[in-house]
Amino acid sequence: MVVTALSVTGQVNAQGLWRTLGRVDSLLSERYQHGNIDTTYITRPQTKWTVMGRLNVSGAALETEGVDTGTPFHSRMYADYKSTLSVGLRYLGVSLFLSLNPAKMMGDYKDFELNLCSYGNRWGFEFIYQNAQNFTGWYEDDQTPRVDLPSDVLSLKSLNVNAYYAFNNRRFSYPAAFSQSYIQRRSAGSFLLGISGQGQKAETNATQQSVLKVTNIGLGAGYGYNWVPGRNWLLHLSVLPTLIVYSHTSLRVNDNRIPLDYHFPEVIITGRGAIVRQFGRFFVAATMVYNYSNIGDRDQLAVYNAKWRARLSVGYRF
């Protein structure tokens, strides 16, 4: 009797679980297929599942110009490239990815980087955090020749957040280019609104110790375009410049604090590009996101930041 009761209870629980999963599937399918879009221009894939593999490569550069005790100087530093491999599964727009960094697993890459991205037709964002201590580069001024700088001179912690709003979101699709969760059927563009945030702490330990802290917020507008030159092709290009409307910057050299004034124009620019090719249910996509910012005055100290990420994706829908 006890065994029979357990068997019946198990069957009831299993039936309840399947009914719950069925309702979840129906809700996700309704949301997935019936969004507020013009299906003449963009559509959802007809399948529910997508399996993907990705190769991600990212890099960063920091450049400074200024005048030190009457002598102009110039430096440029580059971080080692970071490469990761990831595999993922998407079900009706809900994705789960697992990423591995082979160089970090072998102990050859010591830095840390976190990328969180969400691309929607109406709005989306990118959240990028980096803790890097592997910058190498050079320094020169008017009195000394160019000097190579080793990897232990500069450490950098930076946070970049970029968000967009697309006005023509019923016909223009960012995710068609960057997450491949939509398909762009006809060419369309859109004006964009954007907000950018940047936080940074750079420390140098060379002939003198210095700490640069930066907090910036920018607002702006730009334009994006999805070009469909032929069946199963998509080319995307967008530029979203934001003008820095809030800036708090401080520089400390040894025990001396040097004030840095705002110098117009200071900007944060986000550029994005993509190429997508479909082969039936297979697709291949190459994308890039590039962030650039400038702060300060070359008569005192100007800092230029560049951060980029390139991605190659291969996927199959079923």
Side-chain angles (χ1 to χ4, degrees):
M1 293 295 294
V2 174
V3 174
T4 303
L6 290 175
S7 177
V8 172
T9 301
Q11 292 177 3
V12 171
N13 290 339
Q15 292 174 358
L17 176 62
W18 281 112
R19 284 196 296 269
T20 301
L21 292 176
R23 287 195 294 268
V24 172
D25 179 80
S26 298
L27 290 173
L28 288 176
S29 297
E30 179 70 19
R31 176 179 174 271
Y32 184 79
Q33 294 291 351
H34 297 90
N36 185 23
I37 59 175
D38 186 341
T39 55
T40 303
Y41 286 82
I42 55 178
T43 61
R44 283 285 201 179
Q46 295 303 308
T47 56
K48 293 183 177 182
W49 293 90
T50 303
V51 60
M52 298 179 66
R54 289 174 173 173
L55 169 64
N56 304 277
V57 181
S58 62
L62 179 67
E63 183 177 359
T64 62
E65 287 185 281
V67 178
D68 183 15
T69 62
T71 301
F73 66 88
H74 187 197
S75 71
R76 186 173 296 172
M77 304 287 286
Y78 301 93
D80 288 347
Y81 295 156
K82 175 196 172 187
S83 300
T84 61
L85 299 172
S86 62
V87 294
L89 190 65
R90 179 187 298 133
Y91 177 71
L92 293 175
V94 179
S95 303
L96 178 64
F97 279 85
L98 174 65
S99 298
L100 299 174
N101 185 334
K104 196 172 186 67
M105 295 175 64
M106 294 184 293
D108 297 331
Y109 188 87
K110 304 297 184 182
D111 294 351
F112 174 78
E113 183 173 328
L114 174 65
N115 290 271
L116 296 176
C117 306
S118 177
Y119 298 106
N121 290 330
R122 186 180 301 273
W123 66 276
F125 68 88
E126 294 151 347
F127 177 99
I128 306 164
Y129 174 76
Q130 181 184 32
N131 185 350
Q133 301 181 20
N134 60 4
F135 281 85
T136 57
W138 50 263
Y139 171 92
E140 65 181 5
D141 59 39
D142 287 355
Q143 297 182 356
T144 59
R146 179 173 296 189
V147 177
D148 291 333
L149 300 176
S151 59
D152 59 351
V153 171
L154 173 68
S155 63
L156 177 69
K157 296 179 181 179
S158 63
L159 172 65
N160 293 277
V161 181
N162 308 293
Y164 68 83
Y165 178 87
F167 287 95
N168 191 21
N169 49 75
R170 295 187 67 248
R171 296 181 175 182
F172 168 82
S173 176
Y174 252 117
F178 288 92
S179 64
Q180 293 78 54
S181 56
Y182 283 82
I183 298 174
Q184 188 83 39
R185 301 179 63 187
R186 298 180 63 179
S187 301
S190 177
F191 286 102
L192 309 168
L193 286 180
I195 181 171
S196 300
Q198 180 187 57
Q200 187 177 85
K201 181 180 180 181
E203 298 183 72
T204 62
N205 184 19
T207 57
Q208 55 187 8
Q209 293 182 339
S210 62
V211 179
L212 174 67
K213 296 182 180 180
V214 175
T215 302
N216 292 321
I217 297 176
L219 299 174
Y223 191 79
Y225 193 76
N226 281 347
W227 180 38
V228 182
R231 183 177 176 84
N232 298 323
W233 280 96
L234 171 61
L235 281 73
H236 168 90
L237 185 64
S238 62
V239 178
L240 185 52
T242 59
L243 184 67
I244 294 176
V245 296
Y246 171 81
S247 178
H248 180 74
T249 307
S250 66
L251 174 64
R252 181 173 54 82
V253 179
N254 295 328
D255 295 328
N256 301 318
R257 187 180 182 278
I258 301 175
L260 297 176
D261 297 328
Y262 177 87
H263 183 72
F264 181 86
E266 294 183 355
V267 297
I268 302 173
I269 301 174
T270 302
R272 301 179 179 96
I275 302 175
V276 182
R277 178 70 165 95
Q278 298 185 81
F279 305 89
R281 294 191 175 188
F282 286 96
F283 63 85
V284 178
T287 65
M288 173 173 271
V289 179
Y290 182 84
N291 298 106
Y292 170 85
S293 67
N294 74 297
I295 58 171
D297 187 346
R298 285 183 295 179
D299 292 335
Q300 185 181 22
L301 175 65
V303 181
Y304 310 96
N305 284 278
K307 185 76 177 73
W308 59 268
R309 184 189 75 249
R311 172 179 290 170
L312 178 64
S313 303
V314 179
Y316 178 75
R317 301 184 177 105
F318 61 97

